Amino acid sequence: MLSSQISVLSGRVLQQNSGLRTLHVHCTKRPLGHLRFMALTCNSRARWTSGVAACVSGGALAARLWKSKPRSVIDKNLHLCSNRSRATSSDADAPSALVVLKTHRHYEGTLFRCSHKSKALGGSDMKFSVYVPDTPRVHKTLPYPEDVEGFPVVLYLSGITCSDENVITKGNAQEHCAANGLIFVAPDTSPRGTGLEGEDAHWDFGAGAGFYLNATQEPWKQHFQMAAYIEDEFQDMIHDNFPTLGRDYVSLMGHSMGGMGALGVALRNPGAYRSVSAIAPLSHPSAVPDGSQPDVRSAFKRYLGDDESTWQKYDPVCLIKSCDDADSLPPMLIDQGADDEFLASGVLRTFDLVEACRANAVPIEFKLRAGHDHSYFYVSSVMEEHIDFHAKFLDE
């Protein structure tokens, strides 16, 4: 219990008699020199309660409140990580072991850069990043103890030429995920180093440009199975090795090609994800002009062949048009910079997606941002809003 009132910056007050049993207070520096804390409450899911900010003179309050509860009481009320999906994984389906390459303390959590050998991608070595908020103890090694709190997951898919590190170093998602008690996961955009001829010949095909699809054409089909990798093997590995709440608590987001990927995964698997958001998404690849930059149609032909009917399962507009149950789709946030050069050139076709949703009575939240382009200056500018969007649905 809090022993006295604490003045809260948002105007709310936490009192001893309010019924809130506080187990831990989490502090972080704010620009004005204040310290913000988020109380971990004893509710049914024991999530971080965001938006509660207080003026506190240091970190001692956090330690004092945490130590005031017997460990047995704390464990009984937490949603323990032993309840996550790792308990149900079979040996036959288990993803390959991961290797932690490096860790960084970042905001109120730990960033893991990892690699593993992917079965879905023909034995390719894949790198990825995972940011985990404090649990509440600082933890910088794997495995996590079985008795730690579990967190929901935001899975982020990046755009052409990017790796997992672009959003980690430029997107500023970690600060907002720490504030909301969310794990942030960023895989790579393709296999790399496969030895296939032409893999590195073009910036918009092959390495760094897997388009989150399952290739059917030689020689690419052995390694470029990014849809299967993201939807199954990769997520299984994350839930097996990190303190998540399991498959029922995952939201998707992505930028550009990754926006297409995130929308495609969500639309192909209705009911599987809590929410999806896309920043400047490649929305209608089937309708992109020939010879565009990036040359989307050429990439799809090389991966999938000339039969464009096989492209539709990866095309968000086509998936929206073929959906016969809009209520089964997750909440969607679509974000677009008005000065995006790829919007002007006809590559993104974001308005095709908006119109398809309108015509098929699929509800979306659409934001057109004046003055913003396609860069990570734009992505980082809207990141907090997207993380807050997902936190709202992951908290239900």
Side-chain angles (χ1 to χ4, degrees):
M1 291 285 188
L2 293 175
S3 59
S4 60
Q5 292 187 359
I6 296 178
S7 298
V8 181
L9 297 181
S10 63
R12 294 160 57 187
V13 175
L14 303 179
Q15 303 181 35
Q16 183 175 6
N17 298 323
S18 66
L20 177 67
R21 291 193 294 164
T22 303
L23 300 182
H24 177 66
V25 175
H26 197 56
C27 299
T28 175
K29 290 283 187 181
R30 301 304 292 166
L32 297 179
H34 297 301
L35 288 170
R36 179 177 59 184
F37 77 84
M38 286 157 295
L40 179 62
T41 62
C42 289
N43 57 24
S44 60
R45 290 189 46 231
R47 284 286 321 288
W48 296 107
T49 301
S50 60
V52 182
C55 296
V56 189
S57 60
L61 177 61
R64 188 163 63 248
L65 287 170
W66 179 249
K67 292 177 181 178
S68 67
K69 280 288 180 184
R71 185 68 205 175
S72 60
V73 174
I74 294 168
D75 285 346
K76 182 175 67 174
N77 287 285
L78 289 175
H79 189 139
L80 299 181
C81 136
S82 58
N83 292 331
R84 66 185 188 268
S85 64
R86 61 185 293 172
T88 61
S89 296
S90 66
D91 291 340
D93 296 329
S96 57
L98 64 82
V99 176
V100 177
L101 303 175
K102 58 183 178 180
T103 63
H104 297 284
R105 186 84 181 125
H106 201 193
Y107 297 103
E108 295 76 46
T110 300
L111 177 65
F112 295 86
R113 183 95 194 285
C114 305
S115 70
H116 80 121
K117 189 176 294 292
S118 167
K119 296 177 183 177
L121 302 179
S124 297
D125 289 320
M126 298 295 291
K127 294 183 174 65
F128 59 95
S129 295
V130 181
Y131 179 76
V132 184
D134 290 341
T135 61
R137 298 179 297 275
V138 175
H139 204 86
K140 295 184 67 177
T141 59
L142 296 180
Y144 273 79
E146 287 292 326
D147 64 345
V148 300
E149 175 197 5
F151 297 99
V153 172
V154 174
L155 172 56
Y156 178 94
L157 304 182
S158 300
I160 294 174
T161 74
C162 290
S163 71
D164 57 300
E165 292 191 293
N166 292 76
V167 67
I168 293 299
T169 57
K170 299 178 182 179
N172 203 34
Q174 296 91 296
E175 178 183 14
H176 310 306
C177 285
N180 285 284
L182 303 174
I183 289 176
F184 187 81
V185 179
D188 204 349
T189 53
S190 76
R192 299 176 190 267
T194 64
L196 296 175
E197 184 177 355
E199 175 189 4
D200 299 305
H202 302 282
W203 67 274
D204 52 1
F205 180 82
F211 284 90
Y212 304 104
L213 49 74
N214 293 331
T216 59
Q217 304 299 298
E218 295 288 0
W220 311 105
K221 67 180 184 180
Q222 179 182 354
H223 295 285
F224 285 77
Q225 300 290 311
M226 286 298 292
Y229 174 67
I230 294 298
E231 292 178 29
D232 297 312
E233 180 186 18
F234 181 71
Q235 291 196 53
D236 287 343
M237 183 183 55
I238 296 301
H239 294 305
D240 281 357
N241 290 280
F242 293 93
T244 78
L245 291 177
R247 284 276 193 156
D248 291 338
Y249 291 92
V250 179
S251 288
L252 301 168
M253 68 177 296
H255 171 232
S256 192
M257 177 185 75
M260 181 196 78
L263 289 168
V265 171
L267 294 171
R268 286 193 301 272
N269 300 278
Y273 298 95
R274 291 300 185 97
S275 53
V276 59
S277 70
I279 303 171
L282 176 57
S283 301
H284 197 4
S286 302
V288 174
D290 284 317
S292 64
Q293 294 295 314
D295 197 340
V296 176
R297 290 183 63 81
S298 174
F300 269 59
K301 287 179 181 179
R302 294 180 71 182
Y303 284 134
L304 300 172
D306 293 330
D307 182 1
E308 295 189 17
S309 66
T310 65
W311 303 8
Q312 295 180 5
K313 68 176 73 174
Y314 307 110
D315 187 318
V317 167
C318 294
L319 289 167
I320 288 291
K321 290 180 176 180
S322 65
C323 177
D324 55 8
D325 183 11
D327 292 338
S328 68
L329 300 181
M332 285 188 282
L333 169 60
I334 308 299
D335 213 302
Q336 178 62 59
D339 288 356
D340 190 320
E341 60 273 31
F342 298 110
L343 179 68
S345 67
V347 171
L348 297 181
R349 311 195 73 83
T350 310
F351 295 113
D352 291 4
L353 177 63
V354 175
E355 174 57 25
C357 290
R358 186 203 63 78
N360 291 271
V362 174
I364 62 166
E365 185 176 348
F366 175 61
K367 295 181 181 293
L368 184 63
R369 312 272 185 173
H372 282 286
D373 56 20
H374 198 73
S375 71
Y376 263 92
F377 293 109
Y378 164 47
V379 174
S380 62
S381 297
V382 303
M383 182 62 75
E384 181 176 15
E385 194 168 334
H386 282 249
I387 296 299
D388 288 346
F389 171 80
H390 294 301
K392 176 173 59 178
F393 297 104
L394 288 166
D395 197 40
E396 292 178 348

